[in-house]
Amino acid sequence: MEEIVTYVEMTALSELRASPPANGVTLERVDGTSPLIRSVQARIGEPYAWASASRSDDDWAEWLSHPLRQYWFIKYETEIAGIADFELQPGGEVEITTFGLLPEYVGRGLGGYALTLVVRQAWEVEPVGAESVWRIWLHTSTLDHPNALANYERRGFRPFRTRVKQREDRRCRTWDESAGLPVFDSGDPTFAERADEHKAFRVLPDDL
């Protein structure tokens, strides 16, 4: 699949344009050993072909062992509504490597305030190799939620780079070993076309 990747940045906390508060939305720090990190990221990322939706056990072990990565659950009241993680980088930079809401919380007006909380928290981390954090950055893609880039720009992020790349369609992510056929996700826009090529298929439940 072709995608356009846009990299955005913020170089001062004063550039943050905060969203109005959304009642019940908070952040909760979580240890990298929590098994929920993997399941939450996979559920969020599967519709958008995120790498986290198809990482192997070894890839996850490497990802979660990074000593300079922090994990935060986005909570709605008492429930997990999404996740964010930061990677602290040398020279006072912080990359937001993951930000997203679970499918059942998308479209409920929570994303703007959740991002506001995440950005504020990113500015408050202990910097690496610098006296203070001076830059927060992340990237998004045309395969992400259609409102993703607009949400980042509304919060004050500025694009500084774009590139076009090809990405494997990870939404076709497993096989029916007995039939030797792929298990397709009905949320994939090429679902019907590719299913016809194989002549036989089964559909994953929408909530997986």
Side-chain angles (χ1 to χ4, degrees):
M1 297 182 294
E2 183 177 277
E3 63 175 331
I4 300 173
V5 181
T6 301
Y7 297 78
V8 298
E9 66 181 354
M10 184 182 295
T11 53
L13 176 57
S14 60
E15 295 173 357
L16 172 63
R17 296 196 291 269
S19 173
N23 292 335
V25 177
T26 58
L27 295 183
E28 179 182 295
R29 179 81 180 267
V30 59
D31 187 85
T33 60
S34 171
L36 290 175
I37 293 172
R38 179 172 180 171
S39 60
V40 170
Q41 284 204 21
R43 282 198 62 214
I44 293 171
E46 198 279 334
Y48 312 117
W50 284 8
S52 56
S54 60
R55 285 191 186 116
S56 67
D57 290 343
D58 288 344
D59 288 341
W60 267 111
E62 180 179 358
W63 177 267
L64 294 171
S65 67
H66 194 298
L68 297 177
R69 187 170 285 128
Q70 295 185 7
Y71 304 92
W72 296 81
F73 283 145
I74 300 165
K75 303 290 289 289
Y76 179 67
E77 297 179 346
T78 62
E79 300 298 319
I80 296 173
I83 195 169
D85 57 59
F86 316 143
E87 183 179 302
L88 283 62
Q89 299 175 340
E93 297 191 26
V94 177
E95 180 186 1
I96 300 176
T97 46
T98 303
F99 171 78
L101 298 177
L102 288 165
E104 59 266 34
Y105 290 96
V106 173
R108 295 174 57 175
L110 308 180
Y113 187 58
L115 181 58
T116 296
L117 295 180
V118 167
V119 172
R120 284 175 176 161
Q121 186 61 54
W123 279 108
E124 294 177 2
V125 302
E126 187 72 25
V128 176
E131 293 184 359
S132 60
V133 174
W134 74 273
R135 181 177 185 246
I136 308 294
W137 70 279
L138 58 89
H139 69 268
T140 187
S141 159
T142 48
L143 298 181
D144 287 340
H145 189 280
N147 294 335
L149 179 57
N151 188 24
Y152 295 130
E153 291 180 324
R154 281 195 295 269
R155 302 286 75 79
F157 282 96
R158 302 179 306 276
F160 67 91
R161 180 190 177 196
T162 60
R163 67 185 180 118
V164 178
K165 60 180 289 190
Q166 296 293 322
R167 189 199 298 186
E168 177 186 356
D169 186 354
R170 295 184 176 92
R171 288 169 292 194
C172 175
R173 66 188 188 279
T174 190
W175 285 76
D176 183 337
E177 296 293 343
S178 62
L181 295 171
V183 180
F184 290 104
D185 183 343
S186 58
D188 180 352
T190 65
F191 170 75
E193 175 184 342
R194 294 191 293 119
D196 184 65
E197 291 175 359
H198 288 268
K199 306 300 182 184
F201 56 90
R202 60 189 177 92
V203 180
L204 289 170
D206 290 339
D207 60 351
L208 291 182

